[in-house]
């Protein structure tokens, strides 16, 4: 049996998140908000799942480009590994900088900056769309001649470091501040203070920021999140709200030149009213009432369950077929949508629960030998829902959302 050892990144990161939480508690620092942490981890779960499913495609792109268009045939010597590290970090700087300066790229990167907290859970806020765009930038490397094997190994190593700079429990690090991206540098990058905007784009090395004039040291206390904070826990809205806002702004432009300028221009061009209009269209509104503890527990245990099952899914992914991967992905997406909907106390959460039941029923139907029992169960549930959907929905909501 072949195992995917990348699965062990999940318990590793969870351990560090818990360690940071307990250190912050000892220092009497309030760095964690339960619901924001759940939203952060939910995005991380989806990213890990989709990234694992797409990893072979990314590798194939690098391999094809190197073998078809590679200018050189680079061997994995020590000098070339060092050069690859510098090239990877340099390309990251420019991808990251352009992702803050161009609306079309900010749309895929904004998810990483939405949290009003700053802790290790925030490092999980990466999306598949961001991974695709980064792959396009890093495609320069195989064209230069670096083989896919070297690039993938370097990206795994390079991608590990940024996790550890998303924290407030570590202060300034002395002489390391001169050449490495430190937690202090990255706190500045995630801040929405006017003086900190669009600074410190580096991933591992801070030298690029100092070289190209985008460096800012941490002086005043950072305020985290967006300049126009996103008031929702919806995983789908967090992923796609800026695309909708950008579409609204593009439609308002009268000329082709204006539309192109809006797409490739700065996020500063986006009118805050576009967010408000998009929220009205899609009915996005954060529920202001505090949740009951039992609902918090329900959401927390769902996230824990998904972390555990994701670990085993990645560990045994080479043994799974396309149908197993599809069903697990569907169940995961529905569960993450469910968590966000419950935290916002949305009434349509019942429909999500119903869809999750269908996914589980489908899995039972496909993998259970006694088809007659499973078929009867699924048909009975569907008939019940068809005849008494509203009654069951009202009963479900009355149980879930009891009066506060």
């Amino acid at each position: 049996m072949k195992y995917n050892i990348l699965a062990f990144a999940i318990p590793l990161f969870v351990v560090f998140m818990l360690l940071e939480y307990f250190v912050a508690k000892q220092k009497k620092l309030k760095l964690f908000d339960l619901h924001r942490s759940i939203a952060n981890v939910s995005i991380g779960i989806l990213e890990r799942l989709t990234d694992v499913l797409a990893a072979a495609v990314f590798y194939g792109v690098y391999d094809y480009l190197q073998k078809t268009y590679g200018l050189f045939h680079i061997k994995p010597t020590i000098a070339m590994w060092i050069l690859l590290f510098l090239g990877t970090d340099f390309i990251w700087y420019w991808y990251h900088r352009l992702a803050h300066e161009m609306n079309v790229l900010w749309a895929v990167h904004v998810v990483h900056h939405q949290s009003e907290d700053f802790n290790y859970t925030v490092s999980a806020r990466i999306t598949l769309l961001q991974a695709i765009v980064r792959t396009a930038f890093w495609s320069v490397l195989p064209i230069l001649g670096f083989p896919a094997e070297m690039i993938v190994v370097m990206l795994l190593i390079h991608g590990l470091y940024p996790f550890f700079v998303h924290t407030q429990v570590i202060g300034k690090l002395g002489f390391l501040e001169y050449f490495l991206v430190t937690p202090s540098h990255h706190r500045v990058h995630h801040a929405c203070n006017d003086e900190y905007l669009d600074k410190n784009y580096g991933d591992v090395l801070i030298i690029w920021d100092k070289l190209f004039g985008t460096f800012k040291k941490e002086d005043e206390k950072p305020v985290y999140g967006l300049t126009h904070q996103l008031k929702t826990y919806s995983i789908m809205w967090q992923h796609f709200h800026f695309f909708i806002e950008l579409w609204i702004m593009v439609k308002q432009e009268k000329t082709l030149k204006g539309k192109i300028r809006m797409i490739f221009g700065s996020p500063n061009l986006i009118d805050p009213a576009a967010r408000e209009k998009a929220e009205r269209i899609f009915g996005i509104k954060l529920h202001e009432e505090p949740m009951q503890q039992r609902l918090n527990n329900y959401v927390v245990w769902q996230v824990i369950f998904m972390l555990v099952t994701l670990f085993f899914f990645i560990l045994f992914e080479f043994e799974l077929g396309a149908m197993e991967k599809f069903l697990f992905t569907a169940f995961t997406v529905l569960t993450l949508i469910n968590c966000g909907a419950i935290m916002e106390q949305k009434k349509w959460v019942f429909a999500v629960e119903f869809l999750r039941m269908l996914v589980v029923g489908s899995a039972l139907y496909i993998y259970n030998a006694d088809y007659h029992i499973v078929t009867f169960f699924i048909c009975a549930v569907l008939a019940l829902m068809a005849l008494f959907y509203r009654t069951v929905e009202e009963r479900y909501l009355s149980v879930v959302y009891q009066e506060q």
Side-chain angles (χ1 to χ4, degrees):
M1 184 175 289
K2 189 177 179 182
Y3 301 104
N4 186 346
I5 61 172
L6 293 180
F8 290 97
I10 294 174
L12 175 67
F13 291 157
V14 170
V15 166
F16 275 100
M17 290 174 187
L18 293 174
L19 180 62
E20 182 190 32
Y21 172 77
F22 287 115
V23 171
K25 194 172 181 180
Q26 286 291 107
K27 293 185 175 183
K28 295 183 170 32
L29 299 173
K30 185 170 175 51
L31 305 183
F32 290 82
D33 174 88
L34 176 62
H35 295 164
R36 288 199 287 262
S37 294
I38 289 172
N40 296 342
V41 173
S42 295
I43 289 174
I45 290 172
L46 184 59
E47 185 276 334
R48 275 293 82 206
L49 173 60
T50 54
D51 202 37
V52 165
L53 295 175
V57 176
F58 295 152
Y59 180 92
V61 168
Y62 295 140
D63 191 54
Y64 172 80
L65 290 174
Q66 193 271 334
K67 290 178 178 177
T68 307
Y69 302 105
L71 299 176
F72 305 98
H73 187 68
I74 295 174
K75 301 291 185 181
T77 63
I78 293 177
M80 289 300 101
W81 277 109
I82 293 173
L83 186 62
L84 177 58
F85 166 73
L86 292 173
T88 300
D89 207 57
F90 178 74
I91 292 171
W92 167 271
Y93 170 85
W94 282 106
Y95 150 73
H96 200 182
R97 179 170 176 172
L98 291 174
H100 280 254
E101 295 178 350
M102 297 173 59
N103 283 321
V104 67
L105 298 181
W106 178 242
V108 303
H109 183 62
V110 65
V111 179
H112 187 62
H113 286 269
Q114 290 164 350
S115 179
E116 295 174 47
D117 291 340
F118 188 74
N119 51 52
Y120 284 151
T121 69
V122 175
S123 66
R125 298 186 68 91
I126 308 295
T127 70
L128 177 63
L129 293 175
Q130 185 172 335
I132 293 171
V133 173
R134 291 191 311 203
T135 298
F137 276 81
W138 277 322
S139 291
V140 173
L141 296 171
I143 292 175
L144 288 175
F146 288 100
E149 294 84 355
M150 285 183 70
I151 295 172
V152 169
V153 170
M154 180 55 67
L155 291 181
L156 288 173
I157 297 171
H158 194 269
L160 183 64
Y161 180 83
F163 173 85
F164 296 98
V165 300
H166 290 83
T167 183
Q168 297 182 63
V169 299
I170 298 175
K172 295 190 177 183
L173 297 178
F175 76 96
L176 296 178
E177 302 280 330
Y178 290 106
F179 61 93
L180 286 180
V181 173
T182 64
S184 176
H185 296 328
H186 208 59
R187 287 193 288 269
V188 168
H189 178 69
H190 271 262
C192 59
N193 312 49
D194 288 341
E195 67 170 298
Y196 289 160
L197 292 177
D198 301 327
K199 300 295 182 184
N200 298 359
Y201 295 115
D203 200 40
V204 177
L205 299 175
I206 200 65
I207 58 175
W208 312 118
D209 288 286
K210 294 184 176 182
L211 184 62
F212 296 111
T214 53
F215 174 72
K216 182 72 176 73
K217 69 177 182 178
E218 184 181 23
D219 294 317
E220 68 178 56
K221 182 177 176 60
V223 177
Y224 301 105
L226 305 177
T227 54
H228 185 198
Q229 302 288 14
L230 193 68
K231 301 295 184 180
T232 181
Y233 301 122
S234 166
I235 193 169
M236 302 305 291
W237 191 252
Q238 290 177 79
H239 275 75
F240 299 112
H241 77 92
F242 194 80
F243 286 101
I244 298 168
E245 294 170 38
L246 181 56
W247 174 248
I248 290 172
M249 294 301 298
V250 169
K251 283 181 65 178
Q252 290 178 1
E253 293 293 329
K254 304 301 182 184
T255 65
L256 178 60
K257 181 180 179 180
K259 294 179 186 296
I260 294 174
R261 176 174 171 268
M262 186 60 65
I263 293 172
F264 295 99
S266 167
N268 293 331
L269 297 174
I270 302 296
D271 186 344
R275 168 89 55 82
E276 297 166 8
K277 182 177 181 180
E279 289 174 343
R280 286 196 303 271
I281 293 172
F282 288 90
I284 303 298
K285 184 180 180 182
L286 184 63
H287 197 285
E288 300 295 342
E289 295 295 327
M291 279 175 58
Q292 297 175 15
Q293 186 58 42
R294 62 189 185 81
L295 279 183
N296 282 329
N297 293 339
Y298 179 43
V299 172
V300 168
W301 280 109
Q302 285 192 83
V303 172
I304 292 173
F305 175 76
M306 291 315 307
L307 284 169
V308 173
T309 53
L310 180 63
F311 168 77
F312 287 107
F313 175 82
I314 296 176
L315 187 65
F316 298 111
E317 71 149 325
F318 301 125
E319 306 298 323
L320 300 176
M323 182 55 69
E324 287 100 335
K325 291 180 179 179
F326 172 78
L327 289 173
F328 182 78
T329 301
F331 183 81
T332 301
V333 171
L334 290 171
T335 299
L336 298 179
I337 292 174
N338 172 282
C339 290
I342 287 179
M343 288 192 293
E344 295 190 352
Q345 303 188 40
K346 302 293 188 183
K347 292 186 176 181
W348 51 259
V349 69
F350 176 73
V352 180
E353 295 280 23
F354 178 51
L355 290 173
R356 286 205 301 178
M357 288 177 59
L358 288 182
V359 171
V360 172
S362 299
L364 290 173
Y365 186 81
I366 293 171
Y367 298 108
N368 193 305
D370 196 339
Y371 294 109
H372 298 292
I373 295 177
V374 178
T375 301
F376 174 78
F377 171 76
I378 294 176
C379 290
V381 170
L382 289 174
L384 179 66
M385 297 305 296
L387 294 172
F388 306 105
Y389 183 88
R390 291 301 178 192
T391 303
V392 176
E393 180 186 38
E394 289 175 6
R395 177 58 182 160
Y396 170 85
L397 294 176
S398 69
V399 171
V400 173
Y401 300 140
Q402 294 176 357
E403 289 188 11
Q404 303 294 321

